[in-house]
């Protein structure tokens, strides 16, 4: 069935270190993979996205990589800062309807 | 420009009641999607409307219904509320029919007692 698994559920890093969050998806027809950041009590905000015809995309300290063969994609945050602390959600589009299936979230804590 | 706006922000209902949630998309966005977010989980897709037509529906019972108006605003209706319907209901808008570049509203927190 339609499923997106996300790991880890919590991640604690020291300021300046890197953080990596991984997701796997089940639908081989998925072609769009966004990442959302949700701060406590706030709306999810799109931070980066990638389409299936691209293997990697970078935006300043944030990068996403996609392995279509293995059906997994990852979010990489370098030089983490306390303001990066939030819950991060990955998502994958389901090929036939384009609806997004979200992962269960990763709570990232960056300690000063 | 205003972002996606939702009303009300909070709502308390009792089991069996009906509720209507409202959403106004970003100006120029013709697609509105509804998601349910239970505490500690990722958003779950409920509906998508594009140009006033239903384009997709998630695995939710028929008690959930929605519509989109000519000005692209949308309403989500839930009948015969159950305790398990307690959640944050998020509306998201996008320019195109696909679910790319979704902009979310702040949500309506629904509590069913």
């Amino acid at each position: 069935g339609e499923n997106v698994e996300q790991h880890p559920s919590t991640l604690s890093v020291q300021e300046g270190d890197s953080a990596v969050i991984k997701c796997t998806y089940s639908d081989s027809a998925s072609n769009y993979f966004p990442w959302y950041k949700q701060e406590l009590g706030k709306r999810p905000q799109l931070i980066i996205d990638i389409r299936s015809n691209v293997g990697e995309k970078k935006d300043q300290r944030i990068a996403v990589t996609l392995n279509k063969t293995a059906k997994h994609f990852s979010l990489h945050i370098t030089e983490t800062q306390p303001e990066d602390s939030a819950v991060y959600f990955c998502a994958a589009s389901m090929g036939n309807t384009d609806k997004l299936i979200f992962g269960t979230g990763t709570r990232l804590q960056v300690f000063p | 420009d205003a972002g996606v706006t939702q009303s009300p922000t909070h709502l308390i209902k009792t089991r069996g009641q009906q509720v209507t949630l409202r959403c106004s998309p970003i100006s120029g966005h013709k697609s509105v999607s509804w998601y349910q977010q239970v505490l500690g989980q990722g958003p779950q897709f409920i509906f998508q409307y594009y140009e006033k037509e239903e384009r997709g529906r998630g695995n939710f019972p028929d008690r959930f219904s929605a519509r989109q108006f000519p000005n692209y605003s949308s309403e989500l209706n839930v009948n015969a509320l159950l305790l398990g319907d307690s959640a944050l209901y998020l509306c998201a808008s996008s320019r195109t029919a696909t679910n790319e570049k979704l902009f979310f509203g702040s949500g309506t927190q629904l509590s069913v007692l």
Side-chain angles (χ1 to χ4, degrees), chain B residues 61-104:
Chain B
D62 291 343
R63 299 185 296 107
F64 288 76
S65 63
R67 55 180 175 168
Q68 187 176 33
F69 298 100
N71 66 352
Y72 303 110
S73 67
S74 178
E75 285 182 352
L76 175 70
N77 294 286
V78 187
N79 293 324
L81 286 167
L82 303 175
L83 296 179
D85 295 331
S86 296
L88 179 67
Y89 288 84
L90 293 163
C91 172
S93 74
S94 60
R95 287 190 183 278
T96 67
T98 66
N99 281 296
E100 297 189 16
K101 310 288 186 190
L102 288 183
F103 288 83
F104 282 90

Side-chain angles (χ1 to χ4, degrees), chain A residues 14-109:
Chain A
Q14 203 74 32
E15 182 178 0
D17 287 349
S18 295
V20 180
I21 302 170
K22 299 181 179 182
C23 289
T24 59
Y25 59 97
S26 58
D27 186 354
S28 56
S30 295
N31 57 13
Y32 175 66
F33 308 91
W35 286 87
Y36 283 84
K37 174 183 180 182
Q38 188 173 29
E39 296 177 58
L40 191 62
K42 296 193 174 181
R43 69 188 76 191
Q45 288 194 299
L46 179 68
I47 56 172
I48 195 166
D49 56 3
I50 192 169
R51 292 193 60 84
S52 58
N53 57 348
V54 175
E56 183 176 356
K57 184 177 178 181
K58 270 188 172 181
D59 183 4
Q60 300 183 330
R61 297 186 297 108
I62 294 173
V64 56
T65 58
L66 172 66
N67 183 326
K68 283 172 54 181
T69 304
K71 290 193 280 189
H72 67 70
F73 56 113
S74 300
L75 178 71
H76 305 253
I77 306 175
T78 59
E79 300 171 26
T80 53
Q81 300 166 3
E83 51 264 39
D84 294 330
S85 297
V87 178
Y88 291 81
F89 292 99
C90 64
S93 66
M94 290 300 112
N96 57 346
T97 64
D98 290 327
K99 69 179 182 182
L100 291 181
I101 304 297
F102 282 80
T104 50
T106 296
R107 181 171 299 279
L108 173 65
Q109 289 183 297

Side-chain angles (χ1 to χ4, degrees), chain B residues 11-17 81-86 110-113:
Chain B
L11 206 49
I12 299 175
K13 292 285 189 179
T14 55
R15 280 178 298 175
Q17 285 189 310
L81 286 167
L82 303 175
L83 296 179
D85 295 331
S86 296
L110 172 64
S111 298
V112 182
L113 305 178

Side-chain angles (χ1 to χ4, degrees), chain B residues 27-42:
Chain B
S27 178
H29 286 195
K30 298 181 178 180
S31 174
V32 170
S33 298
W34 287 94
Y35 287 81
Q36 181 195 66
Q37 187 176 25
V38 174
L39 192 63
Q41 298 292 320

